[in-house]
Amino acid sequence: QYDYDVAFVGTMVHESAFNWRHRSDLVNFLKKYYGNRFIHLGNGDGVRNLELNDVYASVKVVVGDSVAAPHYWSNRLYETIGRNGFLIFPMIEGLDKEFIPYKHFIPYNYFEFTQLAEKIDYFIEHEAERNVVREAGFEHCKKFHTYTIRCQQLIEYINKNV
């Protein structure tokens, strides 16, 4: 059902809600550059649970976005990698303390769409390399970043700082 080369999963409220233009520019670029090889999901057609697993198992490359702020990134990072999706995601300050760039995900720089397309195109064509990153990210996420582990860390942090 989701036999696409490239996907973006997420809403489009960020420009009006947060004055974050990058997401609109990103999705428009992906639509124009990849045409019918691209699918945008999650903008009014909520994709969750097993269907989201199917998306990440089927799509070759998932492109992520997050409002730019040091040490803040979208939960879609964990959702995608933790469901064994191959993710290209913005390089955000502090992210390398959670996931290793080029080992667990492929980083890109905001608004550098030519660079992004080169990375997407490369990994569309190089399935074996894509699967090495996908599997390494999945195993890392399963070991360190499940909701159970993250909630346990939050509780420990709260207890330590009360």
Side-chain angles (χ1 to χ4, degrees):
Q1 179 178 348
Y2 298 106
D3 187 21
Y4 293 88
D5 285 343
V6 183
F8 178 84
V9 179
T11 64
M12 295 302 290
V13 301
H14 290 68
E15 189 165 0
S16 61
F18 306 109
N19 198 28
W20 182 242
R21 192 184 91 236
H22 179 263
R23 182 166 297 189
S24 300
D25 290 357
L26 171 66
V27 171
N28 288 332
F29 168 78
L30 294 170
K31 282 180 189 174
K32 183 177 179 181
Y33 191 88
Y34 291 99
N36 63 3
R37 296 167 48 209
F38 169 74
I39 187 167
H40 176 199
L41 298 163
N43 194 32
D45 58 346
V47 181
R48 305 240 186 287
N49 303 318
L50 294 177
E51 185 177 3
L52 191 55
N53 291 356
D54 187 32
V55 169
Y56 294 141
S58 304
V59 171
K60 291 178 183 171
V61 174
V62 177
V63 178
D65 180 44
S66 187
V67 175
H71 305 280
Y72 167 82
W73 44 86
S74 166
N75 194 47
R76 288 286 179 190
L77 174 83
Y78 304 95
E79 287 281 341
T80 306
I81 294 174
R83 293 173 187 257
N84 207 17
F86 176 84
L87 182 64
I88 298 182
F89 198 79
M91 192 62 231
I92 299 168
E93 181 183 338
L95 182 55
D96 58 343
K97 293 185 178 22
E98 297 272 314
F99 293 94
I100 300 171
Y102 296 101
K103 180 175 181 181
H104 302 135
F105 76 102
I106 304 302
Y108 75 92
N109 297 317
Y110 291 115
F111 295 102
E112 292 187 15
F113 299 124
T114 300
Q115 172 211 61
L116 174 60
E118 289 171 0
K119 291 179 179 192
I120 293 169
D121 292 344
Y122 179 85
F123 283 102
I124 286 172
E125 296 301 321
H126 293 87
E127 181 179 9
E129 290 178 55
R130 187 173 73 236
N131 286 334
V132 166
V133 173
R134 176 194 313 265
E135 288 300 321
F138 175 71
E139 292 300 324
H140 178 79
C141 195
K142 188 168 61 171
K143 185 174 182 181
F144 297 105
H145 302 297
T146 64
Y147 282 123
T148 301
I149 293 167
R150 292 168 68 204
C151 286
Q152 181 181 2
Q153 291 170 337
L154 178 61
I155 291 167
E156 289 171 7
Y157 178 83
I158 291 169
N159 287 336
K160 195 184 325 179
N161 293 289
V162 171

